[in-house]
Amino acid sequence: MSLIAHSVSDFIRTLQALSGILEKGAASAQARKIDPLVLTSSRLAPDMFALARQVQIACDVAKNGFSRLSGVEAPKFEDTETTFEELQARIAKTIDFLRHIKTESLVGSEDKVVSFPAGPERVLKMKGDAYLKQWVFPNLYFHTVTAYNILRHNGVDVGKMDYLKGADLLP
Amino acid sequence: MSLIAHSVSDFIRTLQALSGILEKGAASAQARKIDPLVLTSSRLAPDMFALARQVQIACDVAKNGFSRLSGVEAPKFEDTETTFEELQARIAKTIDFLRHIKTESLVGSEDKVVSFPAGPERVLKMKGDAYLKQWVFPNLYFHTVTAYNILRHNGVDVGKMDYLKGADLLP
């Protein structure tokens, strides 16, 4: 199995970890009697994206990245999620898309040239393997860790093991 | 070249990006007449590590990860850095260590069982390839993005392209 096909599981595991982190966020809001929308609309700087948008982008990075590499069309999302439940549904749909990508569709994707938008006006190009390792993975982690940091900054009791959850530890 | 040998460059590129982000932090402190130590000792939550510690750990993740995978002893750092200059020196020493790892020393590391501490009392074990992909990489990105977020939260003008810098874009 190629590096890229092998990496699908890393995206699923990380999105599952993000889902667990958001669950803790929702539980914390309930326990502390905070409107959950305060957390999902929280941000680390006035000109940074809020939590909900970070989660939306983490999902997009995964689905669009593998759509471009595999040639399989990704589901379209309307970017209307504001609640924890809606964000969980988006993550679940993204994981479902990733699970249905067939290994065969990724054959040769390492050497394929991938074009992708970076901001509203720029289109960038990379070779498939570099795109995955230097763009898609770092972006997935960027938005997942920022989501984590927003919740942590707002007093949610998450720890790094929530983020690393699902790693294949040996007995 | 194996997946693991091929990954050394991803660690170097990410640490270089972290170095550039810290440079912007230092420049911002100077421009805004802020004591730079205010930034390096800043954190996102009272029980999270401050910026300096995030950078120290990002370096340790890289050097200890590749030390365990290659069997090459890593340099020891005293964890005394507090200034931007000292943090830059630590990053430079870490990159230098990574650059000197010979490809041959990583042959077979995918299947090697790696033991590593997780906190003061626990030792975990993983197979080399899982250790790299599910532990070392996510940890590198975790501490790099958290360092970025701490500076961003403190008004430093960094953007995601600073973090993604060095990606092999095609013309």
Side-chain angles (χ1 to χ4, degrees), chain B residues 22-39 84-85 151 154 156:
Chain B
L22 294 178
E23 268 174 37
K24 289 204 169 178
S28 173
Q30 191 171 27
R32 295 189 288 157
K33 303 190 196 310
I34 296 167
D35 180 350
L37 295 179
V38 170
L39 294 186
F84 279 111
E85 294 73 18
L151 288 173
N154 279 280
V156 175

PDB file of all heavy atoms in Angstrom, chain B residues 22-39 84-85 151 154 156:
ATOM      1  N   LEU B  22       9.113  32.592  15.486  1.00  0.00           N
ATOM      2  CA  LEU B  22       9.726  33.217  16.672  1.00  0.00           C
ATOM      3  C   LEU B  22      10.430  34.524  16.305  1.00  0.00           C
ATOM      4  O   LEU B  22      10.411  35.480  17.087  1.00  0.00           O
ATOM      5  CB  LEU B  22      10.717  32.250  17.326  1.00  0.00           C
ATOM      6  CG  LEU B  22      10.117  30.979  17.936  1.00  0.00           C
ATOM      7  CD1 LEU B  22      11.229  30.102  18.509  1.00  0.00           C
ATOM      8  CD2 LEU B  22       9.086  31.301  19.022  1.00  0.00           C
ATOM      9  N   GLU B  23      11.040  34.559  15.124  1.00  0.00           N
ATOM     10  CA  GLU B  23      11.656  35.813  14.668  1.00  0.00           C
ATOM     11  C   GLU B  23      10.619  36.923  14.600  1.00  0.00           C
ATOM     12  O   GLU B  23      10.876  38.058  14.998  1.00  0.00           O
ATOM     13  CB  GLU B  23      12.252  35.640  13.258  1.00  0.00           C
ATOM     14  CG  GLU B  23      13.707  35.238  13.252  1.00  0.00           C
ATOM     15  CD  GLU B  23      14.188  34.940  11.842  1.00  0.00           C
ATOM     16  OE1 GLU B  23      13.754  35.647  10.895  1.00  0.00           O
ATOM     17  OE2 GLU B  23      14.977  33.994  11.676  1.00  0.00           O
ATOM     18  N   LYS B  24       9.439  36.587  14.078  1.00  0.00           N
ATOM     19  CA  LYS B  24       8.369  37.595  14.029  1.00  0.00           C
ATOM     20  C   LYS B  24       7.923  37.991  15.429  1.00  0.00           C
ATOM     21  O   LYS B  24       7.559  39.144  15.672  1.00  0.00           O
ATOM     22  CB  LYS B  24       7.186  37.064  13.213  1.00  0.00           C
ATOM     23  CG  LYS B  24       7.482  36.978  11.718  1.00  0.00           C
ATOM     24  CD  LYS B  24       6.202  37.029  10.900  1.00  0.00           C
ATOM     25  CE  LYS B  24       6.503  37.207   9.418  1.00  0.00           C
ATOM     26  NZ  LYS B  24       5.276  37.203   8.598  1.00  0.00           N
ATOM     27  N   GLY B  25       7.949  37.046  16.350  1.00  0.00           N
ATOM     28  CA  GLY B  25       7.606  37.354  17.744  1.00  0.00           C
ATOM     29  C   GLY B  25       8.592  38.344  18.336  1.00  0.00           C
ATOM     30  O   GLY B  25       8.195  39.337  18.967  1.00  0.00           O
ATOM     31  N   ALA B  26       9.885  38.082  18.122  1.00  0.00           N
ATOM     32  CA  ALA B  26      10.926  38.967  18.662  1.00  0.00           C
ATOM     33  C   ALA B  26      10.823  40.363  18.036  1.00  0.00           C
ATOM     34  O   ALA B  26      10.920  41.380  18.730  1.00  0.00           O
ATOM     35  CB  ALA B  26      12.311  38.361  18.397  1.00  0.00           C
ATOM     36  N   ALA B  27      10.592  40.406  16.724  1.00  0.00           N
ATOM     37  CA  ALA B  27      10.478  41.697  16.031  1.00  0.00           C
ATOM     38  C   ALA B  27       9.259  42.468  16.533  1.00  0.00           C
ATOM     39  O   ALA B  27       9.298  43.688  16.706  1.00  0.00           O
ATOM     40  CB  ALA B  27      10.390  41.466  14.521  1.00  0.00           C
ATOM     41  N   SER B  28       8.171  41.744  16.775  1.00  0.00           N
ATOM     42  CA  SER B  28       6.949  42.377  17.258  1.00  0.00           C
ATOM     43  C   SER B  28       7.155  42.962  18.656  1.00  0.00           C
ATOM     44  O   SER B  28       6.687  44.065  18.956  1.00  0.00           O
ATOM     45  CB  SER B  28       5.811  41.341  17.264  1.00  0.00           C
ATOM     46  OG  SER B  28       4.667  41.860  17.876  1.00  0.00           O
ATOM     47  N   ALA B  29       7.857  42.230  19.512  1.00  0.00           N
ATOM     48  CA  ALA B  29       8.135  42.728  20.871  1.00  0.00           C
ATOM     49  C   ALA B  29       8.931  44.031  20.777  1.00  0.00           C
ATOM     50  O   ALA B  29       8.616  45.020  21.447  1.00  0.00           O
ATOM     51  CB  ALA B  29       8.910  41.678  21.672  1.00  0.00           C
ATOM     52  N   GLN B  30       9.938  44.018  19.917  1.00  0.00           N
ATOM     53  CA  GLN B  30      10.767  45.212  19.756  1.00  0.00           C
ATOM     54  C   GLN B  30       9.931  46.389  19.218  1.00  0.00           C
ATOM     55  O   GLN B  30       9.966  47.486  19.770  1.00  0.00           O
ATOM     56  CB  GLN B  30      11.919  44.904  18.799  1.00  0.00           C
ATOM     57  CG  GLN B  30      12.970  46.005  18.794  1.00  0.00           C
ATOM     58  CD  GLN B  30      14.221  45.609  18.012  1.00  0.00           C
ATOM     59  OE1 GLN B  30      14.152  44.789  17.088  1.00  0.00           O
ATOM     60  NE2 GLN B  30      15.347  46.174  18.378  1.00  0.00           N
ATOM     61  N   ALA B  31       9.152  46.135  18.179  1.00  0.00           N
ATOM     62  CA  ALA B  31       8.363  47.207  17.556  1.00  0.00           C
ATOM     63  C   ALA B  31       7.325  47.768  18.523  1.00  0.00           C
ATOM     64  O   ALA B  31       7.051  48.967  18.518  1.00  0.00           O
ATOM     65  CB  ALA B  31       7.676  46.680  16.293  1.00  0.00           C
ATOM     66  N   ARG B  32       6.763  46.889  19.353  1.00  0.00           N
ATOM     67  CA  ARG B  32       5.711  47.350  20.276  1.00  0.00           C
ATOM     68  C   ARG B  32       6.263  47.717  21.655  1.00  0.00           C
ATOM     69  O   ARG B  32       5.499  47.959  22.590  1.00  0.00           O
ATOM     70  CB  ARG B  32       4.624  46.276  20.385  1.00  0.00           C
ATOM     71  CG  ARG B  32       3.876  46.052  19.063  1.00  0.00           C
ATOM     72  CD  ARG B  32       2.663  45.131  19.258  1.00  0.00           C
ATOM     73  NE  ARG B  32       3.047  43.741  19.492  1.00  0.00           N
ATOM     74  CZ  ARG B  32       2.282  42.834  20.114  1.00  0.00           C
ATOM     75  NH1 ARG B  32       1.082  43.187  20.573  1.00  0.00           N
ATOM     76  NH2 ARG B  32       2.699  41.598  20.274  1.00  0.00           N
ATOM     77  N   LYS B  33       7.601  47.681  21.778  1.00  0.00           N
ATOM     78  CA  LYS B  33       8.257  47.993  23.061  1.00  0.00           C
ATOM     79  C   LYS B  33       7.713  47.131  24.207  1.00  0.00           C
ATOM     80  O   LYS B  33       7.379  47.620  25.297  1.00  0.00           O
ATOM     81  CB  LYS B  33       8.119  49.482  23.407  1.00  0.00           C
ATOM     82  CG  LYS B  33       8.694  50.412  22.320  1.00  0.00           C
ATOM     83  CD  LYS B  33       8.754  51.845  22.820  1.00  0.00           C
ATOM     84  CE  LYS B  33       8.929  52.860  21.680  1.00  0.00           C
ATOM     85  NZ  LYS B  33      10.012  52.564  20.740  1.00  0.00           N
ATOM     86  N   ILE B  34       7.621  45.835  23.910  1.00  0.00           N
ATOM     87  CA  ILE B  34       7.215  44.860  24.928  1.00  0.00           C
ATOM     88  C   ILE B  34       8.472  44.097  25.335  1.00  0.00           C
ATOM     89  O   ILE B  34       9.295  43.755  24.479  1.00  0.00           O
ATOM     90  CB  ILE B  34       6.184  43.868  24.331  1.00  0.00           C
ATOM     91  CG1 ILE B  34       4.894  44.592  23.941  1.00  0.00           C
ATOM     92  CG2 ILE B  34       5.886  42.733  25.302  1.00  0.00           C
ATOM     93  CD1 ILE B  34       3.966  43.744  23.069  1.00  0.00           C
ATOM     94  N   ASP B  35       8.640  43.822  26.611  1.00  0.00           N
ATOM     95  CA  ASP B  35       9.734  42.948  27.044  1.00  0.00           C
ATOM     96  C   ASP B  35       9.551  41.587  26.358  1.00  0.00           C
ATOM     97  O   ASP B  35       8.516  40.940  26.539  1.00  0.00           O
ATOM     98  CB  ASP B  35       9.669  42.799  28.572  1.00  0.00           C
ATOM     99  CG  ASP B  35      10.774  41.910  29.122  1.00  0.00           C
ATOM    100  OD1 ASP B  35      11.481  41.243  28.322  1.00  0.00           O
ATOM    101  OD2 ASP B  35      10.924  41.874  30.358  1.00  0.00           O
ATOM    102  N   PRO B  36      10.545  41.140  25.582  1.00  0.00           N
ATOM    103  CA  PRO B  36      10.386  39.872  24.864  1.00  0.00           C
ATOM    104  C   PRO B  36      10.084  38.688  25.794  1.00  0.00           C
ATOM    105  O   PRO B  36       9.425  37.727  25.396  1.00  0.00           O
ATOM    106  CB  PRO B  36      11.739  39.666  24.165  1.00  0.00           C
ATOM    107  CG  PRO B  36      12.417  40.983  24.180  1.00  0.00           C
ATOM    108  CD  PRO B  36      11.842  41.788  25.304  1.00  0.00           C
ATOM    109  N   LEU B  37      10.545  38.799  27.041  1.00  0.00           N
ATOM    110  CA  LEU B  37      10.284  37.703  27.993  1.00  0.00           C
ATOM    111  C   LEU B  37       8.803  37.597  28.344  1.00  0.00           C
ATOM    112  O   LEU B  37       8.346  36.539  28.779  1.00  0.00           O
ATOM    113  CB  LEU B  37      11.114  37.895  29.264  1.00  0.00           C
ATOM    114  CG  LEU B  37      12.640  37.800  29.080  1.00  0.00           C
ATOM    115  CD1 LEU B  37      13.347  38.038  30.413  1.00  0.00           C
ATOM    116  CD2 LEU B  37      13.044  36.443  28.509  1.00  0.00           C
ATOM    117  N   VAL B  38       8.073  38.687  28.140  1.00  0.00           N
ATOM    118  CA  VAL B  38       6.616  38.606  28.350  1.00  0.00           C
ATOM    119  C   VAL B  38       6.024  37.621  27.332  1.00  0.00           C
ATOM    120  O   VAL B  38       5.165  36.814  27.651  1.00  0.00           O
ATOM    121  CB  VAL B  38       5.956  39.992  28.224  1.00  0.00           C
ATOM    122  CG1 VAL B  38       4.431  39.877  28.207  1.00  0.00           C
ATOM    123  CG2 VAL B  38       6.393  40.892  29.374  1.00  0.00           C
ATOM    124  N   LEU B  39       6.528  37.694  26.107  1.00  0.00           N
ATOM    125  CA  LEU B  39       6.022  36.768  25.084  1.00  0.00           C
ATOM    126  C   LEU B  39       6.517  35.341  25.317  1.00  0.00           C
ATOM    127  O   LEU B  39       5.736  34.395  25.241  1.00  0.00           O
ATOM    128  CB  LEU B  39       6.422  37.243  23.676  1.00  0.00           C
ATOM    129  CG  LEU B  39       5.790  38.558  23.201  1.00  0.00           C
ATOM    130  CD1 LEU B  39       6.165  38.831  21.745  1.00  0.00           C
ATOM    131  CD2 LEU B  39       4.258  38.540  23.340  1.00  0.00           C
ATOM    132  N   PHE B  84      14.269  34.714  23.169  1.00  0.00           N
ATOM    133  CA  PHE B  84      14.098  34.299  21.772  1.00  0.00           C
ATOM    134  C   PHE B  84      15.425  33.801  21.189  1.00  0.00           C
ATOM    135  O   PHE B  84      15.451  32.812  20.453  1.00  0.00           O
ATOM    136  CB  PHE B  84      13.558  35.464  20.936  1.00  0.00           C
ATOM    137  CG  PHE B  84      12.068  35.663  21.059  1.00  0.00           C
ATOM    138  CD1 PHE B  84      11.543  36.781  21.701  1.00  0.00           C
ATOM    139  CD2 PHE B  84      11.180  34.729  20.535  1.00  0.00           C
ATOM    140  CE1 PHE B  84      10.169  36.959  21.815  1.00  0.00           C
ATOM    141  CE2 PHE B  84       9.807  34.906  20.642  1.00  0.00           C
ATOM    142  CZ  PHE B  84       9.298  36.025  21.285  1.00  0.00           C
ATOM    143  N   GLU B  85      16.529  34.482  21.524  1.00  0.00           N
ATOM    144  CA  GLU B  85      17.831  34.090  20.985  1.00  0.00           C
ATOM    145  C   GLU B  85      18.196  32.676  21.448  1.00  0.00           C
ATOM    146  O   GLU B  85      18.691  31.862  20.669  1.00  0.00           O
ATOM    147  CB  GLU B  85      18.924  35.076  21.429  1.00  0.00           C
ATOM    148  CG  GLU B  85      18.789  36.491  20.864  1.00  0.00           C
ATOM    149  CD  GLU B  85      17.647  37.306  21.491  1.00  0.00           C
ATOM    150  OE1 GLU B  85      17.147  36.940  22.595  1.00  0.00           O
ATOM    151  OE2 GLU B  85      17.234  38.319  20.882  1.00  0.00           O
ATOM    152  N   LEU B 151       1.712  33.238  20.234  1.00  0.00           N
ATOM    153  CA  LEU B 151       2.149  34.523  19.663  1.00  0.00           C
ATOM    154  C   LEU B 151       0.983  35.247  18.991  1.00  0.00           C
ATOM    155  O   LEU B 151       0.795  36.450  19.152  1.00  0.00           O
ATOM    156  CB  LEU B 151       3.306  34.300  18.685  1.00  0.00           C
ATOM    157  CG  LEU B 151       4.636  33.933  19.353  1.00  0.00           C
ATOM    158  CD1 LEU B 151       5.687  33.571  18.324  1.00  0.00           C
ATOM    159  CD2 LEU B 151       5.134  35.088  20.247  1.00  0.00           C
ATOM    160  N   ASN B 154      -1.186  36.904  21.293  1.00  0.00           N
ATOM    161  CA  ASN B 154      -0.550  38.096  21.861  1.00  0.00           C
ATOM    162  C   ASN B 154      -0.294  39.173  20.810  1.00  0.00           C
ATOM    163  O   ASN B 154       0.552  40.046  21.008  1.00  0.00           O
ATOM    164  CB  ASN B 154       0.753  37.703  22.564  1.00  0.00           C
ATOM    165  CG  ASN B 154       0.494  37.142  23.955  1.00  0.00           C
ATOM    166  OD1 ASN B 154       0.283  37.889  24.900  1.00  0.00           O
ATOM    167  ND2 ASN B 154       0.453  35.823  24.066  1.00  0.00           N
ATOM    168  N   VAL B 156       0.930  39.065  17.707  1.00  0.00           N
ATOM    169  CA  VAL B 156       2.024  39.004  16.733  1.00  0.00           C
ATOM    170  C   VAL B 156       1.429  38.684  15.360  1.00  0.00           C
ATOM    171  O   VAL B 156       0.567  37.810  15.230  1.00  0.00           O
ATOM    172  CB  VAL B 156       3.068  37.940  17.140  1.00  0.00           C
ATOM    173  CG1 VAL B 156       4.149  37.799  16.066  1.00  0.00           C
ATOM    174  CG2 VAL B 156       3.681  38.301  18.489  1.00  0.00           C
TER     175      VAL B 156
END
